[in-house]
Amino acid sequence: MMRGRVVIGPEGTVAYTAGSLDSPSSYSRDFCIMSTLSGSCFCGEVKFEVTGAPAAMGYCHCESCRRWSAGPVNAFSLWKPESLKITHGAASVGTYNKTPISYRKWCTKCGGHVFTDHPTMGLVDIYAAMLPQLNFEPALHVNYQETVLRIKDGKPKMKDMPKEMGGSGVTLAE
C-alpha cells in the first residue's frame, strides 16, 4: 500500500505528498505564484476569473461527478472560494445539490457546467476543462473505489478522500 499525506501549505493550499515532507510529489512545488485565469460556460453567458493557485488538482471517480460531467472521470481543480469571481452572468448561474457536500453550478441559458461549491471542505471545484490556460497537474485520484475507468499513471489512488479532507486516507492499488 502506498502511503502519503495531504499537506496544508502557505495560504491554506493543499498538496498530496507521497512519503515524507522531504520528498514531496512534483505537485507540491511552489503554490504561491499569483495568476488570474478566466473561463466561461458553453455559450459565454457566465464568465468568471480565478486568482492565485489551486489548492489541489486531480481526478474524481465518484458516481455523482461521473454523471454530472457525462464522462468516466472528472478532472478537478480545487480553489478557495474567495479566489473565484463571476465577472458576467451571475444571475444566469443555476444551482443543484444532491448532497450537502456539493452544490453544482451551471449556466441556466446553455446548461453548461461551470463549477461545484464544496462548503464542507471550504473549497470550490472549477472543472479543469473550464480553465483552458490552467497547467493541469493532477496529484491524485479520489473516490477510486467507484471507478469505471482504471488509470495507470503512478498517481495515488484514494479509496475515497485523503484523511485530512474527511476521508479514510486509504490508498488502493492501480
Side-chain angles (χ1 to χ4, degrees):
M1 175 187 334
M2 180 180 269
R3 293 187 157 267
R5 71 178 94 180
V6 171
V7 177
I8 308 299
E11 299 176 9
T13 55
V14 180
Y16 184 86
T17 62
S20 72
L21 289 176
D22 296 332
S23 60
S25 69
S26 62
Y27 180 74
S28 63
R29 64 190 194 334
D30 183 11
F31 288 103
C32 298
I33 299 169
M34 294 301 286
S35 63
T36 300
L37 304 175
S38 58
S40 69
C41 65
F42 193 62
C43 72
E45 168 62 20
V46 177
K47 296 179 180 168
F48 56 89
E49 293 179 344
V50 65
T51 304
M57 293 188 275
Y59 299 106
C60 184
H61 295 260
C62 79
E63 180 187 15
S64 289
C65 283
R66 290 195 325 265
R67 292 181 75 188
W68 185 255
S69 69
V73 65
N74 177 53
F76 66 81
S77 67
L78 297 175
W79 303 76
K80 292 200 155 280
E82 56 271 18
S83 299
L84 174 64
K85 177 183 173 187
I86 298 175
T87 58
H88 184 268
S92 297
V93 176
T95 302
Y96 175 75
N97 67 304
K98 182 178 175 182
T99 69
I101 296 171
S102 302
Y103 289 74
R104 298 178 188 278
K105 310 289 184 163
W106 78 93
C107 172
T108 58
K109 294 193 185 234
C110 69
H113 301 174
V114 286
F115 56 89
T116 298
D117 283 327
H118 293 294
T120 58
M121 289 192 272
L123 296 167
V124 61
D125 173 9
I126 303 173
Y127 315 126
M130 303 311 301
L131 297 169
Q133 314 96 333
L134 178 65
N135 182 19
F136 184 65
E137 295 182 19
L140 74 163
H141 294 258
V142 297
N143 297 303
Y144 204 68
Q145 69 183 347
E146 299 179 43
T147 196
V148 296
L149 177 65
R150 299 259 175 229
I151 299 174
K152 295 188 178 193
D153 60 2
K155 308 264 185 241
K157 311 296 191 282
M158 306 303 297
K159 176 182 175 186
D160 43 35
M161 298 289 279
K163 212 175 240 187
E164 295 80 356
M165 298 179 86
S168 69
V170 173
T171 56
L172 302 175
E174 284 198 321

